[in-house]
Amino acid sequence: GEDVEQSLFLSVREGDSSVINCTYTDSSSTYLYWYKQEPGAGLQLLTYIFSNMDMKQDQRLTVLLNKKDKHLSLRIADTQTGDSAIYFCAEKTGGGNKLTFGTGTQLKVEL
Amino acid sequence: EPEVTQTPSHQVTQMGQEVILRCVPISNHLYFYWYRQILGQKVEFLVSFYNNEISEKSEIFDDQFSVERPDGSNFTLKIRSTKLEDSAMYFCASSDPLLAGTDNEQFFGPGTRLTVL
């Protein structure tokens, strides 16, 4: 079955790059996503990548996908205090719309 | 910007009681979903709903759970007889597969925290 794993915490200094990692087990993943959750808010989609791509860049965000190792990463350049949140990796597999989420990585940005 | 809303933000109930969690999806969306997150655990898929019927459900979504779209705007999750282990944050989401340039992106509400005592 599907399983998605992430490290629980990451702390970076403001202005540095953050790299949040995720591994997944289902090789039939079609899309992989990064969601952000700020306190008291819902899950906000940041970006997604189709499984036949290996990189996607969107302003400060870079997503890298290593399909062979089933590893996904999100790089945030020039991390700001407003980036402090929980970041969830998620995958969509098969023909349905069900998302399988990781546990989330709490990113803390220090001054 | 349109958004998914959920009420209440926090619901406290006694074990064995029925609860109804309410969601108002984005108005022109066609797919609706419920997910839950038990404290400290992963966000888990419960059910998806399309064209007035369940299109997909997980093992968690047993006979104690039901969903309904009672009118043109609300989407509800009912738990018939709550158990302690139903305590979690419940997220509603909606999507529109016809929205150009997206991958049927699921828009999430802020969640309802359910506490079963």
Side-chain angles (χ1 to χ4, degrees), chain A residues 28-104:
Chain A
S28 66
S29 294
T30 52
Y31 287 89
L32 294 130
Y33 304 83
W34 285 103
Y35 279 85
K36 177 183 180 184
Q37 185 182 32
E38 296 182 76
L43 300 163
Q44 174 200 354
L45 180 68
L46 286 178
T47 186
Y48 66 90
I49 189 166
F50 187 48
S51 58
N52 70 352
M53 298 168 64
D54 51 23
M55 187 182 95
K56 182 178 179 182
Q57 184 144 8
D58 184 0
Q59 298 181 340
R60 292 191 296 123
L61 305 179
T62 303
V63 179
L64 295 178
L65 174 61
N66 181 328
K67 201 170 176 184
K68 175 174 165 287
D69 294 339
K70 299 190 186 70
H71 182 267
L72 182 74
S73 68
L74 174 70
R75 178 177 180 271
I76 306 173
D78 187 26
T79 313
Q80 303 297 307
T81 54
D83 294 323
S84 292
I86 300 175
Y87 290 80
F88 291 91
C89 166
E91 63 172 350
K92 184 192 289 187
T93 58
N97 291 313
K98 171 184 122 174
L99 296 179
T100 300
F101 284 86
T103 45

Side-chain angles (χ1 to χ4, degrees), chain A residues 3-4 31 33 42 97 99, chain B residues 31 35 42 103-106 109:
Chain A
D3 193 22
V4 180
Y31 287 89
Y33 304 83
N97 291 313
L99 296 179
Chain B
Y31 281 87
Y35 291 80
K42 297 182 180 184
D103 153 54
N104 199 13
E105 172 187 348
Q106 294 179 31

Side-chain angles (χ1 to χ4, degrees), chain B:
Chain B
E1 189 174 322
E3 57 183 19
V4 176
T5 59
Q6 291 185 243
T7 53
S9 56
H10 191 189
Q11 172 93 48
V12 181
T13 190
Q14 295 288 329
M15 190 169 58
Q17 295 296 305
E18 174 184 285
V19 293
I20 297 176
L21 308 183
R22 299 179 194 281
C23 168
V24 178
I26 294 173
S27 64
N28 58 341
H29 283 189
L30 302 175
Y31 281 87
F32 314 109
Y33 312 84
W34 283 102
Y35 291 80
R36 78 171 186 191
Q37 185 180 31
I38 294 170
L39 190 64
Q41 297 185 25
K42 297 182 180 184
V43 176
E44 302 170 290
F45 170 80
L46 294 178
V47 67
S48 61
F49 191 86
Y50 172 71
N51 200 26
N52 280 320
E53 59 183 30
I54 290 172
S55 50
E56 201 173 355
K57 63 180 181 178
S58 71
E59 295 171 350
I60 303 165
F61 195 87
D62 61 22
D63 292 344
Q64 291 299 310
F65 291 88
S66 62
V67 288
E68 194 179 25
R69 187 152 163 83
D71 53 42
S73 59
N74 289 283
F75 179 53
T76 62
L77 175 70
K78 183 195 288 188
I79 309 175
R80 286 191 186 80
S81 177
T82 50
K83 303 190 270 288
L84 294 176
E85 54 265 37
D86 293 327
S87 293
M89 181 74 90
Y90 288 80
F91 293 105
C92 173
S94 68
S95 68
D96 175 10
L98 302 178
L99 197 59
T102 73
D103 153 54
N104 199 13
E105 172 187 348
Q106 294 179 31
F107 292 80
F108 282 78
T112 292
R113 181 167 296 286
L114 176 65
T115 301
V116 182
L117 303 175

